[in-house]
Amino acid sequence: MSTGESTGNGSVVVVNCGSSSVKLALVDPVTGERALSCLGERLGTPDAVVHFKTAEGTRTITPAATTHRGALAHVLQRLLDMDLPPLLGVGHRVVQGGKRFRSSVRIDDHVLADISDLSALAPLHNPANVSGIEAARAVLPELDHVAVFDTAFHQTMPEQAYRYAVPTRWYEEFGVRRYGMHGTSHRFVSARAAEVLQRDAGADPRSLKLVVAHLGNGCSATAVLGGRSVDTTMGMTPLEGLVMGTRSGDLDPAVLELVADRTGASVAEIVAQLNKESGLLALSGLSNDVRTLEEKAGQGHPGAKLALEVFTYRAAKHLAALTVALGGLDALVLTGGIGENGTAIRSALLGRLRHLGLVEDPAANAEHGRSSTPAGRITREGDGPLAMVVPTDEELLIARDTVDLVQHA
Ligand code: ADP
């Protein structure tokens, strides 16, 4: 993450509040520069710490309050005491926006109540997002606050993509359907890819067929047709789809019955294990971190090898499936910590997708080894589809949506 000078017009406070952590950044909506970024960890416990990063360096403090909300209020208060660019507004990342929120919105009491009501669909995320909004509104009441939803970009999915084949009552009364997540990243990356492809290949962004793979700790892929999401791999919650760092991805739901029967665990406990103790971590028995797994696989560790194989096989299978939603493919776009930095994983994915006409350019792929590398192609020149790497920047999109809404208020 870069820190540096702002344009002088001010910056947006971008808040991403999780259940035990909070990420906060002061983002210049024009340049994307960060005047400050901050990470609070283990909030709500006596071991809570907050790391601040500015152009002057990094600093770690122990927040005076140990509650989650108190710690966030403390961090925001510290911000106000610093010599920083003027604040234009506050943008909050919110995970679940349900059917109601198809785009970002200014937050008032009604919007906040709706976000809170959507907690049934996202019990791990929306309550934390709500506490973040409440704490920030209390400390910065004079600023406009904006909610940017992970699900909003996927509200353009057609019914054939978002409906589960389950009893209709579950859908109509409980909202059980696919919503999709990581929408801010997929939106940012697909727009950037369309810009680059228009510039470099004269492509028409209105008809572009993109599959965007966001591969980080959480992983999802989206089919984007002419700038609109038409299908995505995450479902009602982030648990569906690809294998992730600690999440299982797709699973036969009957597994829950068997495990509950054998272990006596509740459904909630099993779902927590599927979220936090599965994925690469479980398959390898080692780590959820791809770098560690690559190192250990290189030394012959069977669990690490298996984890990486299942990960790339499942990802490639989903990426190919998403071309059905598009009726073809112009470009596969890779992003997230693994997509931007993982040369070997990218190579393995392309190797499994050769039949779609994607042929790796090993030299170009090796070049894209650092997140600071700009967007660029990693397949050979030719008539078929191409693959490219596009670094994501969800905070910048949140900052831009925030100023857009504040200026049009
Ligand atoms: P989050 O979803 O938490 O934002 P990131 O997008 O930062 O996560 O992605 C984290 C993942 O990226 C980890 O699995 C990490 O191992 C992987 N990663 C980071 N750098 C590299 C690298 N050079 N090669 C392979 N994987 C990498």
Side-chain angles (χ1 to χ4, degrees):
M1 187 179 284
S2 59
T3 56
E5 298 299 311
S6 104
T7 51
N9 297 325
S11 36
V12 174
V13 186
V14 175
V15 181
N16 180 356
C17 201
S19 56
S20 65
S21 69
V22 61
K23 281 189 197 159
L24 207 136
L26 278 193
V27 183
D28 183 317
V30 179
T31 64
E33 298 286 354
R34 271 63 162 171
L36 171 144
S37 58
C38 140
L39 171 67
E41 297 176 297
R42 302 188 290 277
L43 301 185
T45 77
D47 302 325
V49 283
V50 183
H51 312 284
F52 285 90
K53 183 172 155 198
T54 61
E56 278 85 55
T58 35
R59 207 153 37 111
T60 298
I61 62 156
T62 307
T66 50
T67 65
H68 190 221
R69 221 175 130 154
L72 180 60
H74 180 90
V75 170
L76 288 166
Q77 200 55 57
R78 290 286 286 248
L79 275 190
L80 296 180
D81 300 338
M82 293 180 182
D83 182 21
L84 292 167
L87 303 180
L88 303 171
V90 186
H92 296 266
R93 177 186 178 205
V94 178
V95 168
Q96 180 55 267
K99 279 193 293 188
R100 149 110 207 249
F101 298 107
R102 301 179 67 86
S103 58
S104 304
V105 290
R106 286 174 70 217
I107 299 171
D108 57 22
D109 291 343
H110 297 293
V111 167
L112 189 58
D114 283 350
I115 295 172
S116 187
D117 286 348
L118 287 162
S119 295
L121 294 172
L124 298 177
H125 300 100
N126 274 37
N129 300 153
V130 168
S131 328
I133 294 169
E134 284 172 346
R137 281 176 100 200
V139 179
L140 301 166
E142 74 289 358
L143 291 178
D144 278 318
H145 292 247
V146 166
V148 179
F149 301 91
D150 265 22
T151 49
F153 183 58
H154 301 300
Q155 277 298 304
T156 48
M157 283 196 289
E159 194 166 10
Q160 64 178 9
Y162 71 69
R163 285 291 292 272
Y164 290 117
V166 296
T168 305
R169 179 168 177 234
W170 300 4
Y171 168 64
E172 288 179 348
E173 289 183 30
F174 317 140
V176 172
R177 51 158 278 182
R178 309 182 65 253
Y179 294 95
M181 313 283 148
H182 282 155
T184 315
S185 178
H186 289 295
R187 187 175 135 218
F188 181 88
V189 167
S190 55
R192 179 83 189 105
E195 240 173 64
V196 171
L197 291 169
Q198 187 175 24
R199 188 194 65 208
D200 296 352
D204 181 351
R206 289 166 304 181
S207 58
L208 261 185
K209 297 172 174 152
L210 304 178
V211 170
V212 180
H214 176 114
L215 307 177
N217 236 325
C219 299
S220 71
T222 297
V224 183
L225 182 59
R228 292 153 65 93
S229 167
V230 289
D231 201 354
T232 192
T233 56
M234 283 178 170
M236 189 183 83
T237 77
L239 196 47
E240 188 178 337
L242 312 183
V243 172
M244 314 182 205
T246 62
R247 293 192 191 114
S248 62
D250 290 342
L251 185 83
D252 180 344
V255 169
L256 271 74
E257 186 183 17
L258 182 143
V259 176
D261 194 41
R262 295 287 167 87
T263 64
S266 68
V267 170
E269 285 163 345
I270 299 170
V271 170
Q273 285 187 296
L274 293 173
N275 269 302
K276 296 189 178 143
E277 296 170 30
S278 299
L280 293 173
L281 177 65
L283 283 167
S284 66
L286 263 183
S287 169
N288 61 326
D289 192 300
V290 164
R291 278 165 301 192
T292 309
L293 297 181
E294 285 180 341
E295 189 193 323
K296 295 294 177 188
Q299 296 162 5
H301 190 287
K305 281 188 186 167
L306 175 69
L308 293 171
E309 269 167 22
V310 176
F311 179 84
T312 50
Y313 172 70
R314 183 89 70 86
K317 199 164 87 165
H318 273 283
L319 297 177
L322 287 171
T323 65
V324 173
L326 300 168
L329 179 69
D330 292 317
L332 167 65
V333 191
L334 297 159
T335 195
I338 302 167
E340 291 168 34
N341 306 294
T343 308
I345 295 257
R346 289 197 303 249
S347 182
L349 280 176
L350 292 178
R352 291 184 186 275
L353 294 169
R354 258 188 100 101
H355 59 287
L356 295 182
L358 295 165
V359 185
E360 181 189 355
D361 177 337
N365 186 29
E367 242 175 64
H368 284 275
R370 292 172 302 119
S371 49
S372 55
T373 334
R377 179 178 184 127
I378 55 168
T379 42
R380 298 229 173 99
E381 298 282 340
D383 294 337
L386 58 91
M388 63 198 292
V389 177
V390 174
T392 193
D393 195 341
E394 292 160 276
E395 288 175 347
L396 177 56
L397 194 56
I398 293 174
R400 288 187 175 158
D401 274 9
T402 303
V403 275
D404 281 353
L405 284 164
V406 167
Q407 279 167 0
H408 292 109

